[in-house]
Amino acid sequence: MATKPPKADPVQDAPRVAEPQHSAAGLPAIGHTLRAAQQQMGVKRTALTLLSVNQKDGFDCPGCAWPEPDHRHRAEFCENGAKAVAEEATLRRVTPEFFAAHPVSDLARRSGYWLGQQGRLTHPMYLPDGADHYEPVTWERAFDIIAEEITALASPDEAVFYTSGRTSNEAAFLYQLFARELGTNNLPDCSNMCHESSGSALSETIGIGKGSVLLEDLYKADLIIVAGQNPGTNHPRMLSALEKAKANGARIISVNPLPEAGLERFKNPQTAKGLLSTGSSLTDLFLQIRIGGDQALFRLLNKLIVETEGAVDEEFVREHTHGYEEFAAAARAADWDETLTATGLDKRRIQEAMDMILASKRTIVCWAMGLTQHKHAVPTIRELVNFLLLRGNIGRPGAGVCPVRGHSNVQGDRTMGIVERPTPAFLDALEREFGFAPPREHGYDVVRAIRALRDGEAKVFLAMGGNFVSASPDTEVTEAAMRRARLTVHVSTKLNRSHVVTGARALILPTLGRTERDLQGSGEQFVTVEDSMGMVHASRGRLEPASAHLLSETAIVCHLARRVLGKDSRVPWAEFEKDYATIRDRIARVIPGFEDFNARAARPGGFVLPHAPRDERRFPTATGRANFTAAPIEYPKLPEGRLLLQTVRSHDQYNTTIYGLDDRYRGIRNGRRVVLVNPEDARELKVADGSYVDLVSEWTDGVDRRAPGFRVVHYPTARGCAAAYYPETNVLVPLDATADVSNTPASKSVVVRLEQSATD
């Protein structure tokens, strides 16, 4: 039977700590999955819903973007995916009566965990100027309010249209179409805060900002390097793929400041071996790198490859690359001592990694936020591409670049045109198809959007999904910026902190979830999503909607566009709302790779998008070849008495959604305000295990940013490094501390000092 949401916020600053675990999943994962699902959905609904997750005739998990294998297990989901589904398919409801009983001033004091546990939003809600309670509002009035504010703007560029990764391809395409017909490219999205660095580096070096491998490539690889990534918590189904790769003979190198249970040993809950035995050992070599030292590591590996006779694939380099000589000169200049300082590794471990690299004919490098959220993130990923190019490991089966995207369809949103810097070719295609001239000036990304709101240059903020306030850096600045807006609008399934940090007026527009049936004028609809490896497939909800007052994201965009743009619009918004197949017909004519979209989307399992470097060894860059690069080596410098902090997720968390207060693989229970510190560093800093400290970040602007009341946990992280959960630590990252080129917040290399907390 489903349980009711918590009435009171639980204590979150008194965590219990045990030894970290050294294996992931197994029987405990099944137990936690079923318990979490039944608490939200009840027994019968749990069974019916989970058996449809990631099935060819079911719905796509609203969690991560890891692809599904062609031959799928009946339980093709992970623990965190099941929790995501359970919170969307929950029987808990947030009704108008809830808002009548809870003023915004009260909700603003609640934790993100408590807000999310209240359940599904059921009605459009409106917060008038000066009010402290949301009140129910009709859909017609809600669209009128948005239209009033947008049409009153001096320029369309005073509006910001944010998108979260969960939005379908169809809704994302229409959302950007509406913004551009209105006249702005202000289309920031969650990619700006995660894999923007990957896209920037890959577009420059190989000509397309996506990974070059498919799932079957992992099974063919000789060597897989997993750098700056924790699959056990963030993409648990990746562990099954790594297990299969190992069974086929692959070796795995893990590069991470933190030891991660899932990469040590995996007990596959879909197999008898995983449930009844010790499981599979995954990592062959663990390189416990110092935070931010990855560029230096790959540069030294490249030096060793260049200097090893016969190691470079000279034919590939000659036929398919540009800039080799300048790169090779920079690689030869790499210094062992500097590399050991930057990485914290010893020479023997690097030599061991090199032996594995030279023995491999097919190498894949996978990475995530541990590489993308640094000031020097883009040069780091370029260096990683250099590493693969040297031995011809792009455009070869079992080899390539594999940025692992975090959120389901975050990659699809970008493919559909959710981007603040669209290409001229994309805008030309929109103009030919729809008969209006899209704006050509670049718009705001996330960081620039916050600045514009802060400075009064943007006045209306509309978010299609997500939790913008909690996901963004520099929490105090972000919240103050949002409060300067004239109107904030959030299209959401559940309550989150962004709903209680509002502009002068605010709207919450409740929408269908992935799990729910979508009935429109032409009948039941399906939508499509793109996974982390460029596979596009259909998603069909099966449950009855949580409320009769919900609209789909697609319908919301169509209603809003008709109300704001009026009869002068050349786009058939009413037709699009009635039948999503008509949207896919237009996508097919605008976006390359989607030809015959409707027929291909109807095939079980969907279809793969073209990728020139992978498919043809053709590189659509400015030079027409894959580009070697040669950037100066950068890594964070650590003053004495300080630590280098990275922000991380707990296991009971997905992005800013908090499912619970445990991180059992790391041994943390009943709390989130913890800081993981190497015991030797703790002794030098005189901070005892169990003591409480404030985390104070230090940046060149001289402003102290403070996150108070964190329990010190002695933990086997790399020397000089520490870790703590976000969004609690977003306050420590200044708005202007971003990666060069990509402008992604530098949340993985924060210099902090630990000060005794007043709560100790």
Side-chain angles (χ1 to χ4, degrees), residues 75-224:
E76 191 59 51
F77 55 85
C78 68
E79 178 184 341
N80 270 1
K83 291 174 182 175
V85 169
E87 291 211 354
E88 182 176 289
T90 182
L91 296 173
R92 301 172 182 175
R93 299 290 181 262
V94 177
T95 63
E97 290 74 22
F98 172 90
F99 288 104
H102 293 87
V104 174
S105 56
D106 170 60
L107 295 175
R109 291 191 290 267
R110 305 284 188 160
S111 69
Y113 167 68
W114 186 90
L115 293 172
Q117 288 295 306
Q118 301 310 302
R120 287 290 300 277
L121 296 157
T122 62
H123 291 68
M125 302 300 297
Y126 172 50
L127 183 69
D129 192 358
D132 197 26
H133 282 270
Y134 276 99
E135 58 191 43
V137 64
T138 65
W139 279 104
E140 291 75 13
R141 178 57 183 147
F143 293 128
D144 284 345
I145 291 168
I146 300 171
E148 288 168 10
E149 292 289 357
I150 289 179
T151 55
L153 297 174
S155 162
D157 288 327
E158 291 183 340
V160 172
F161 297 90
Y162 175 74
T163 316
S164 163
R166 67 170 296 277
T167 305
S168 69
N169 287 330
E170 291 76 7
F173 183 78
L174 295 190
Y175 193 56
Q176 63 82 28
L177 185 64
F178 164 57
R180 292 191 166 108
E181 190 177 13
L182 179 67
T184 185
N185 283 315
N186 287 346
L187 285 156
D189 78 322
C190 53
S191 290
N192 297 146
M193 294 183 278
C194 55
H195 267 292
E196 196 69 48
S197 297
S198 300
S200 298
L202 294 176
S203 295
E204 177 185 353
T205 54
I206 66 171
I208 182 169
K210 300 181 182 182
S212 67
V213 303
L214 298 173
L215 196 54
E216 53 262 35
D217 287 309
L218 286 171
Y219 308 149
K220 299 173 183 176
D222 298 321
L223 177 65
I224 301 169

Side-chain angles (χ1 to χ4, degrees), residues 641-660:
R642 306 298 187 262
L643 295 174
L644 200 58
L645 178 79
Q646 62 174 333
T647 65
V648 298
R649 295 175 184 165
S650 81
H651 190 65
D652 264 357
Q653 173 180 0
Y654 194 79
N655 293 339
T656 60
T657 301
I658 313 302
Y659 302 131

Side-chain angles (χ1 to χ4, degrees), residues 445-486:
D445 61 12
V446 163
V447 169
R448 293 184 180 96
I450 296 169
R451 289 183 192 138
L453 289 162
R454 177 197 64 189
D455 299 339
E457 296 170 2
K459 298 178 174 64
V460 172
F461 178 89
L462 200 154
M464 185 64 70
N467 183 0
F468 185 83
V469 165
S470 291
S472 298
D474 215 343
T475 306
E476 293 179 6
V477 171
T478 295
E479 293 192 355
M482 295 296 283
R483 290 189 170 105
R484 288 205 65 188
R486 292 206 311 233

Side-chain angles (χ1 to χ4, degrees), residues 1 71 144 188-189 224 237 256 563 622 724:
M1 179 177 291
H71 299 288
D144 284 345
D189 78 322
I224 301 169
R237 287 187 303 122
N256 201 319
R563 181 63 185 83

Side-chain angles (χ1 to χ4, degrees), residues 23 221 293 305 381 502 586 592 597 604 653:
S23 65
I305 293 172
I381 297 165
T502 73
R586 298 302 189 99
F597 190 4
Q653 173 180 0

Side-chain angles (χ1 to χ4, degrees), residues 53 575 654 684:
V53 182
E575 177 185 341
Y654 194 79
E684 291 180 4

